[in-house]
Amino acid sequence: MVAILVVAGVAALGWAYSGQYNVAADVPHWGLTSRALALVRDRSVATGAAGLTVPDLADRDLIAQGAEHYSEMCTGCHLAPGVTTSGLRQGLYPAPPDFSAGTSLRPAEAFWVIKHGIKMSAMPAWGSTHDDDAIWAIVAFLQQLPTLDANEYSALTAEPDAAYDDHEADEHGHEHNASSHDELTNPAAVDPGETTMEQPSAVPHVHPHANDHEHS
Ligand code: HEC
């Protein structure tokens, strides 16, 4: 018995060493390998997500923040309404799912994957650069993504709070000034107490009408 195991182990090592296994991303796995990997991945994600407490994902501020993160960090691989292809995405194996078509993952599972990434795939662990609040914001946005058309998507990502702002913005025109827009459009400026207009000059989306708010 032991001898058989040793022989099998040596044979497996020899095969690995021979270089016969093709790791090329442009040659797909066998069907059985794909199913085995998918099973391991899905069970790992479900186990990792168990026990996570999901915040209120209908929160508009959260969705707006998530939209901004998504458009900056995810569309190159996962697409969006109106973003139907990318050079990066086309060569990836496994292929990243297209989230404009929705996801079968529960919110806690999506959170876990976004935070920790997936080994031996292109999916990064965003938790090494983003805190849990930012990741829940992305999860909140993912719930809305399949309901958006290209126009709604670009409105939400160009000026994240616009699509969800109603007449309140006008009623409180003076308080609702440029700084609140900047906090949403500039991921670096998330301090709610921050009221200065002096944002880093590199921020491309300080809108002309931000000044209208100030002077109206
Ligand atoms: C460089 C490409 C790349 C980027 C950028 C990327 N992902 Fe992924 N993502 C992948 C790949 C590839 C997979 C599939 C991994 C697998 O199936 O093993 C994946 C899988 C996922 C999954 C699991 C989907 C499922 O149904 O199992 C989620 C959720 C996810 N990504 C969210 C995001 C979010 C949110 C962002 C942006 C913050 C992001 N990803 C950025 C490549 C990427």
Side-chain angles (χ1 to χ4, degrees):
M1 189 64 191
V2 172
I4 291 171
L5 284 177
V6 169
V7 169
V10 169
L13 205 63
W15 177 75
Y17 196 77
S18 76
Q20 290 307 300
Y21 185 86
N22 190 352
V23 297
D26 54 1
V27 177
H29 288 301
W30 295 338
L32 183 65
T33 313
S34 288
R35 286 199 295 278
L37 289 173
L39 176 70
V40 170
R41 179 196 62 205
D42 294 348
R43 289 304 306 146
S44 171
V45 170
T47 304
L52 287 177
T53 308
V54 181
D56 176 13
L57 299 178
D59 183 283
R60 290 174 176 194
D61 288 343
L62 208 60
I63 293 168
Q65 282 173 38
E68 184 69 7
H69 287 312
Y70 187 88
S71 74
E72 284 174 4
M73 291 146 40
C74 318
T75 52
C77 289
H78 290 290
L79 306 180
V83 183
T84 52
T85 187
S86 85
L88 174 60
R89 174 187 165 83
Q90 289 184 27
L92 292 181
Y93 186 82
D98 173 1
F99 289 134
S100 52
T103 170
S104 56
L105 292 187
R106 292 183 295 116
E109 293 174 327
F111 174 89
W112 191 90
V113 172
I114 297 165
K115 181 168 179 172
H116 299 287
I118 298 181
K119 279 190 177 74
M120 298 292 277
S121 83
M123 177 58 192
W126 295 98
S128 50
T129 47
H130 291 75
D131 64 16
D132 286 5
D133 291 345
I135 295 173
W136 280 122
I138 297 169
V139 174
F141 175 70
L142 279 183
Q143 313 308 304
Q144 307 300 320
L145 189 53
T147 70
L148 303 175
D149 65 24
N151 288 336
E152 291 164 332
Y153 173 76
S154 56
L156 194 57
T157 50
E159 187 179 13
D161 54 350
Y164 286 100
D165 257 358
D166 51 24
H167 55 281
E168 272 180 57
D170 299 318
E171 281 169 22
H172 304 293
H174 287 94
E175 295 97 286
H176 194 95
N177 62 21
S179 68
S180 67
H181 288 264
D182 293 346
E183 279 153 18
L184 290 167
T185 52
N186 176 7
V190 290
D191 178 0
E194 180 73 17
T195 52
T196 175
M197 291 287 290
E198 320 282 312
Q199 296 295 332
S201 55
V203 175
H205 27 228
V206 173
H207 310 285
H209 80 252
N211 293 326
D212 299 343
H213 281 273
E214 272 301 89
H215 300 132
S216 61

Coordinates of all heavy atoms in Angstrom, one line a residue, residues 37 41-42 45 69-70 72-78 88-89 92-97 99 102-105 109-111 113-114 118-124 126 138-139 142, ligand 1:
L37 N -12.7 22.9 -10.0 CA -12.2 24.2 -9.5 C -13.4 25.0 -9.0 O -13.3 25.7 -8.0 CB -11.4 24.9 -10.6 CG -10.0 24.3 -10.9 CD1 -9.4 25.0 -12.1 CD2 -9.1 24.5 -9.7
R41 N -14.0 26.6 -5.4 CA -14.2 28.1 -5.3 C -15.5 28.4 -4.6 O -15.6 29.2 -3.6 CB -14.2 28.7 -6.7 CG -14.4 30.2 -6.7 CD -14.7 30.8 -8.1 NE -16.0 30.2 -8.5 CZ -16.3 30.0 -9.8 NH1 -15.5 30.4 -10.7 NH2 -17.5 29.5 -10.1
D42 N -16.6 27.8 -5.1 CA -17.9 28.2 -4.6 C -18.1 27.8 -3.1 O -18.7 28.5 -2.3 CB -19.0 27.5 -5.4 CG -19.1 28.1 -6.8 OD1 -18.4 29.1 -7.1 OD2 -19.8 27.4 -7.7
V45 N -16.0 30.3 -1.0 CA -16.6 31.6 -0.9 C -17.8 31.5 0.1 O -17.9 32.4 1.0 CB -17.1 32.1 -2.3 CG1 -17.9 33.3 -2.2 CG2 -15.9 32.4 -3.2
H69 N -16.3 53.7 -7.1 CA -15.3 52.7 -7.0 C -15.4 51.7 -8.2 O -14.4 51.3 -8.8 CB -15.4 51.9 -5.7 CG -15.0 52.7 -4.5 ND1 -13.8 53.3 -4.4 CD2 -15.6 52.8 -3.3 CE1 -13.7 53.9 -3.2 NE2 -14.8 53.6 -2.5
Y70 N -16.6 51.3 -8.5 CA -16.8 50.3 -9.5 C -16.3 50.8 -10.9 O -15.6 50.1 -11.6 CB -18.3 49.9 -9.6 CG -18.5 48.7 -10.6 CD1 -18.4 47.4 -10.1 CD2 -18.7 48.9 -11.9 CE1 -18.6 46.3 -11.0 CE2 -18.9 47.9 -12.8 CZ -18.8 46.6 -12.4 OH -18.9 45.5 -13.2
E72 N -14.1 52.9 -11.5 CA -12.6 53.1 -11.5 C -11.9 51.8 -11.5 O -10.8 51.6 -12.1 CB -12.2 53.9 -10.3 CG -12.5 55.4 -10.5 CD -12.1 56.2 -9.3 OE1 -11.6 55.6 -8.3 OE2 -12.4 57.4 -9.3
M73 N -12.4 50.8 -10.7 CA -11.6 49.6 -10.4 C -12.1 48.3 -11.1 O -11.3 47.4 -11.1 CB -11.6 49.4 -8.9 CG -10.8 50.5 -8.1 SD -11.5 50.9 -6.5 CE -12.0 49.4 -5.8
C74 N -13.3 48.3 -11.6 CA -13.8 47.0 -11.9 C -14.2 46.8 -13.4 O -14.2 45.7 -13.9 CB -15.1 46.7 -11.1 SG -14.9 47.1 -9.4
T75 N -14.5 47.9 -14.1 CA -15.1 47.8 -15.4 C -14.1 47.2 -16.5 O -14.6 46.5 -17.4 CB -15.6 49.2 -16.0 OG1 -14.5 50.1 -15.8 CG2 -16.7 49.7 -15.2
G76 N -12.8 47.4 -16.3 CA -11.9 46.8 -17.2 C -12.0 45.3 -17.3 O -11.7 44.7 -18.3
C77 N -12.4 44.7 -16.2 CA -12.6 43.2 -16.3 C -14.1 42.8 -16.3 O -14.5 41.9 -16.9 CB -11.9 42.6 -15.0 SG -10.1 42.6 -15.2
H78 N -14.9 43.5 -15.5 CA -16.3 43.1 -15.3 C -17.4 43.8 -16.1 O -18.6 43.5 -16.0 CB -16.7 43.1 -13.8 CG -16.0 42.1 -13.0 ND1 -16.2 40.8 -13.1 CD2 -15.0 42.3 -12.1 CE1 -15.4 40.1 -12.2 NE2 -14.7 41.0 -11.6
L88 N -8.1 44.2 -21.8 CA -7.7 43.4 -20.6 C -8.5 42.1 -20.5 O -8.1 41.0 -20.3 CB -7.8 44.2 -19.4 CG -7.5 43.6 -18.0 CD1 -6.1 43.0 -18.0 CD2 -7.6 44.6 -16.9
R89 N -9.8 42.3 -20.5 CA -10.8 41.3 -20.2 C -10.7 40.1 -21.2 O -10.8 38.9 -20.8 CB -12.2 41.9 -20.3 CG -13.3 40.9 -20.1 CD -14.6 41.6 -20.4 NE -15.7 40.6 -20.6 CZ -16.3 40.0 -19.7 NH1 -16.1 40.2 -18.4 NH2 -17.3 39.1 -20.0
L92 N -8.4 37.1 -20.4 CA -8.4 36.5 -19.1 C -9.1 35.1 -19.0 O -10.1 34.8 -19.7 CB -9.2 37.4 -18.1 CG -8.5 38.7 -17.8 CD1 -9.3 39.6 -16.8 CD2 -7.1 38.5 -17.3
Y93 N -8.4 34.2 -18.3 CA -9.0 32.9 -18.0 C -8.7 32.5 -16.6 O -7.5 32.5 -16.2 CB -8.3 31.9 -19.0 CG -9.0 30.5 -18.9 CD1 -10.1 30.2 -19.6 CD2 -8.4 29.5 -18.1 CE1 -10.7 29.0 -19.5 CE2 -9.0 28.3 -18.0 CZ -10.2 28.0 -18.7 OH -10.7 26.8 -18.6
P94 N -9.7 32.2 -15.8 CA -11.1 32.2 -16.1 C -11.6 33.6 -16.5 O -11.1 34.6 -16.0 CB -11.8 31.8 -14.8 CG -10.8 32.2 -13.7 CD -9.4 32.0 -14.3
A95 N -12.7 33.7 -17.3 CA -13.2 35.0 -17.7 C -14.0 35.6 -16.6 O -14.7 34.9 -15.9 CB -14.2 34.7 -18.9
P96 N -13.8 36.9 -16.3 CA -14.5 37.6 -15.3 C -16.0 37.7 -15.7 O -16.3 38.0 -16.8 CB -13.9 39.0 -15.2 CG -12.7 38.9 -16.1 CD -12.9 37.8 -17.0
P97 N -16.9 37.4 -14.7 CA -18.4 37.5 -15.1 C -18.7 39.0 -15.4 O -18.1 39.9 -14.9 CB -19.1 37.1 -13.8 CG -18.1 36.9 -12.7 CD -16.7 36.9 -13.4
F99 N -21.0 41.8 -14.8 CA -22.0 42.1 -13.8 C -23.2 43.0 -14.2 O -24.1 43.1 -13.5 CB -21.3 42.8 -12.6 CG -20.4 41.9 -11.8 CD1 -19.2 42.3 -11.4 CD2 -20.9 40.7 -11.4 CE1 -18.3 41.5 -10.7 CE2 -20.1 39.8 -10.7 CZ -18.8 40.2 -10.3
G102 N -26.0 41.0 -13.9 CA -26.3 40.5 -12.5 C -25.4 39.4 -12.0 O -24.4 39.1 -12.7
T103 N -25.6 39.0 -10.8 CA -24.7 38.0 -10.2 C -25.5 37.0 -9.4 O -26.6 37.4 -8.8 CB -23.6 38.6 -9.3 OG1 -22.9 37.5 -8.6 CG2 -24.1 39.6 -8.4
S104 N -25.1 35.8 -9.4 CA -25.9 34.8 -8.5 C -25.3 34.8 -7.1 O -25.9 34.1 -6.3 CB -25.7 33.4 -9.2 OG -24.4 33.1 -9.3
L105 N -24.3 35.5 -6.8 CA -23.7 35.5 -5.5 C -24.6 36.3 -4.5 O -25.2 37.3 -4.9 CB -22.3 36.2 -5.5 CG -21.2 35.5 -6.2 CD1 -19.9 36.2 -5.9 CD2 -21.1 34.0 -5.7
E109 N -21.4 37.0 0.0 CA -20.4 36.3 -0.8 C -19.6 37.2 -1.7 O -18.4 37.1 -1.8 CB -21.1 35.2 -1.6 CG -21.6 34.1 -0.8 CD -22.5 33.1 -1.5 OE1 -23.1 33.5 -2.5 OE2 -22.5 31.9 -1.2
A110 N -20.3 38.2 -2.3 CA -19.7 39.2 -3.2 C -18.7 40.0 -2.3 O -17.5 40.2 -2.7 CB -20.7 40.1 -3.8
F111 N -19.1 40.3 -1.1 CA -18.2 41.1 -0.2 C -16.9 40.3 0.0 O -15.8 40.8 -0.1 CB -18.9 41.4 1.1 CG -18.0 42.0 2.2 CD1 -17.8 43.4 2.2 CD2 -17.2 41.2 3.0 CE1 -17.0 44.0 3.1 CE2 -16.4 41.8 4.0 CZ -16.3 43.2 4.0
V113 N -15.5 37.9 -1.7 CA -14.7 37.8 -2.9 C -13.9 39.1 -3.2 O -12.7 39.1 -3.5 CB -15.5 37.3 -4.2 CG1 -14.6 37.4 -5.4 CG2 -16.0 35.9 -4.0
I114 N -14.7 40.2 -3.1 CA -14.1 41.5 -3.4 C -12.9 41.8 -2.4 O -11.9 42.3 -2.7 CB -15.1 42.6 -3.4 CG1 -16.1 42.4 -4.5 CG2 -14.5 44.0 -3.6 CD1 -17.4 43.2 -4.4
I118 N -9.5 36.0 -5.6 CA -9.5 34.5 -5.8 C -8.2 34.1 -6.4 O -7.7 34.6 -7.4 CB -10.6 34.2 -6.8 CG1 -12.0 34.5 -6.2 CG2 -10.6 32.7 -7.2 CD1 -13.2 34.2 -7.1
K119 N -7.6 33.1 -5.7 CA -6.3 32.6 -6.1 C -6.3 32.1 -7.6 O -7.3 31.5 -8.0 CB -5.9 31.4 -5.2 CG -5.3 31.7 -3.9 CD -4.8 30.5 -3.3 CE -4.1 30.7 -1.9 NZ -5.1 31.0 -0.9
M120 N -5.1 32.2 -8.2 CA -4.9 31.7 -9.6 C -6.0 32.2 -10.6 O -6.5 31.4 -11.5 CB -5.0 30.1 -9.6 CG -3.8 29.5 -8.8 SD -2.2 29.8 -9.5 CE -2.2 28.5 -10.7
S121 N -6.5 33.4 -10.3 CA -7.4 34.1 -11.3 C -6.9 35.5 -11.3 O -6.0 35.9 -10.5 CB -8.8 33.9 -10.9 OG -9.2 34.9 -10.0
A122 N -7.5 36.3 -12.1 CA -7.1 37.7 -12.1 C -7.8 38.5 -11.1 O -7.6 39.8 -11.0 CB -7.3 38.3 -13.5
M123 N -8.7 37.9 -10.3 CA -9.5 38.7 -9.3 C -8.6 39.1 -8.1 O -8.2 38.3 -7.3 CB -10.7 37.8 -8.9 CG -11.5 38.5 -7.8 SD -12.2 40.1 -8.4 CE -12.8 40.8 -6.9
P124 N -8.4 40.4 -8.0 CA -7.5 40.9 -6.9 C -8.2 41.0 -5.5 O -9.5 41.0 -5.5 CB -7.2 42.4 -7.3 CG -7.8 42.6 -8.7 CD -8.8 41.5 -8.9
W126 N -9.2 43.3 -3.0 CA -9.3 44.7 -2.8 C -9.1 45.1 -1.4 O -9.0 46.3 -1.0 CB -10.5 45.2 -3.4 CG -10.6 45.0 -4.9 CD1 -11.1 44.0 -5.6 CD2 -9.9 45.8 -5.9 NE1 -10.9 44.1 -7.0 CE2 -10.2 45.3 -7.2 CE3 -9.1 47.0 -5.9 CZ2 -9.7 45.8 -8.4 CZ3 -8.7 47.5 -7.0 CH2 -8.9 46.9 -8.3
I138 N -19.4 49.0 -2.7 CA -19.3 48.3 -4.0 C -20.4 47.2 -4.1 O -21.1 47.1 -5.1 CB -17.9 47.7 -4.3 CG1 -16.9 48.9 -4.3 CG2 -17.9 47.0 -5.6 CD1 -15.4 48.4 -4.3
V139 N -20.6 46.5 -3.0 CA -21.6 45.4 -3.0 C -23.0 46.1 -3.2 O -23.8 45.5 -3.9 CB -21.5 44.6 -1.7 CG1 -22.7 43.6 -1.6 CG2 -20.2 43.9 -1.6
L142 N -23.4 46.9 -6.8 CA -23.6 45.7 -7.6 C -25.1 45.3 -7.6 O -25.6 44.7 -8.6 CB -22.8 44.5 -7.1 CG -21.3 44.5 -7.4 CD1 -20.7 43.2 -6.9 CD2 -21.1 44.5 -8.9
Ligands
HEC1 C1 -7.9 42.2 -13.6 C2 -9.3 41.8 -13.7 C3 -10.3 42.0 -12.6 C4 -10.6 43.1 -11.9 C5 -9.9 44.5 -12.1 C6 -11.6 42.8 -11.0 N1 -12.0 41.5 -11.1 FE1 -13.5 40.5 -10.1 N2 -13.0 38.8 -11.0 C7 -12.0 38.7 -12.0 C8 -12.0 37.3 -12.4 C9 -11.1 36.7 -13.5 C10 -13.0 36.6 -11.7 C11 -13.4 35.1 -11.8 C12 -12.6 34.3 -10.9 C13 -13.0 32.9 -10.9 O1 -14.1 32.5 -11.3 O2 -12.2 32.1 -10.4 C14 -13.6 37.6 -10.8 C15 -14.6 37.3 -10.0 C16 -15.3 38.3 -9.2 C17 -16.4 38.0 -8.4 C18 -17.1 36.6 -8.1 C19 -18.1 36.4 -9.2 C20 -18.8 35.1 -9.2 O3 -19.9 35.0 -9.7 O4 -18.2 34.1 -8.7 C21 -16.8 39.2 -7.8 C22 -18.0 39.4 -6.9 C23 -15.9 40.2 -8.3 N3 -15.0 39.6 -9.2 C24 -16.0 41.5 -8.1 C25 -15.1 42.5 -8.5 C26 -15.2 43.9 -8.2 C27 -16.3 44.5 -7.4 C28 -14.1 44.5 -8.7 C29 -13.7 46.0 -8.6 C30 -13.6 46.4 -7.3 C31 -13.4 43.5 -9.5 N4 -14.0 42.3 -9.3 C32 -12.2 43.7 -10.2 C33 -11.2 39.6 -12.5 C34 -11.2 41.0 -12.0

